[in-house]
Amino acid sequence: MTSGFRSRRGVITATLAAEEVQLVRGLIGELVELVRSETPIAAPPPEDSLAALVGHLGSTEPPEDEVLARLFPTAYADDEEAAGDFRRFTEYGLRDGKVKSAETVLESLGDPEYSDQVTVSLNAEEAQCWLRTLTDLRLALGTRLGVEEDDEDRWASLPEEDRRRQVYGVYVWLGWLQESLVSALW
């Protein structure tokens, strides 16, 4: 079982059990697949010279998937045109950034195949990638589960064998891991 993140001499470390590494790797794989699955790239209109300079452009429409809609929310709820323009010019970069952070986390996890545990050592930049990815994972799980504020009793009342309760346990564990990383950083 993870001991949580700790800071010592500017290096952030945590030891994770092989099963925890496999769990995190699997969740990240699903997250990356989801983020990449709906990456609309639109050709810039011929009259849009700024778009031609910027290159990769996304759609002006919000994602249909509820998790993607939470990961890439509408920037201007009261101005559809501004929201569409913002999405068009930023979403590709935001998606790419989420994937790069997730890849950094995967690289830092190493390969638990030959050990029952893995010790992760992070510099400040890697720790920020972990924070972003843990946030994205929790947001994705919380959205899929329908987690709401102060609903812990609802989850505790589910039968032990209920898969949702087990997934909620992973959601809580990721929150604890994230909290330990935040504490180690400060």
Side-chain angles (χ1 to χ4, degrees):
M1 188 73 162
T2 305
S3 59
F5 283 97
R6 296 188 176 122
S7 177
R8 188 168 184 198
R9 297 183 191 149
V11 177
I12 311 266
T13 62
T15 301
L16 288 86
E19 297 81 17
E20 293 169 329
V21 172
Q22 291 170 347
L23 175 64
V24 171
R25 281 184 167 286
L27 290 171
I28 289 174
E30 290 179 29
L31 178 69
V32 167
E33 184 178 328
L34 179 64
V35 168
R36 285 185 173 157
S37 72
E38 194 182 292
T39 309
I41 308 267
E47 71 279 354
D48 195 341
S49 58
L50 177 60
L53 287 173
V54 173
H56 301 289
L57 295 175
S59 169
T60 59
E61 297 299 316
E64 291 180 21
D65 182 278
E66 66 181 343
V67 171
L68 290 174
R70 291 280 294 159
L71 290 171
F72 306 103
T74 299
Y76 303 100
D78 56 346
D79 187 339
E80 196 173 313
E81 185 177 345
D85 284 343
F86 184 83
R87 183 174 301 284
R88 180 170 160 233
F89 287 105
T90 63
E91 190 170 318
Y92 180 84
L94 293 171
R95 286 175 182 261
D96 190 52
K98 288 183 182 303
V99 169
K100 286 181 180 175
S101 286
E103 288 171 344
T104 298
V105 173
L106 289 173
E107 288 171 17
S108 69
L109 284 170
D111 186 2
E113 188 175 333
Y114 303 107
S115 176
D116 351 346
Q117 59 185 25
V118 171
T119 299
V120 176
S121 297
L122 309 174
N123 61 34
E125 185 179 326
E126 292 166 328
Q128 292 302 315
C129 288
W130 268 80
L131 281 176
R132 286 190 292 273
T133 300
L134 288 171
T135 298
D136 290 345
L137 290 173
R138 293 192 75 238
L139 189 59
L141 285 176
T143 300
R144 287 283 191 249
L145 287 170
V147 173
E148 296 178 7
E149 191 172 343
D150 299 324
D151 70 347
E152 295 83 9
D153 291 342
R154 171 182 159 214
W155 299 102
S157 68
L158 291 175
E160 288 287 331
E161 64 277 357
D162 191 314
R163 179 88 172 119
R164 294 172 300 159
R165 182 176 177 160
Q166 296 164 10
V167 175
Y168 180 76
V170 172
Y171 170 84
V172 170
W173 176 75
L174 289 170
W176 171 82
L177 190 61
Q178 183 180 38
E179 186 177 327
S180 75
L181 179 53
V182 169
S183 294
L185 286 168
W186 309 116

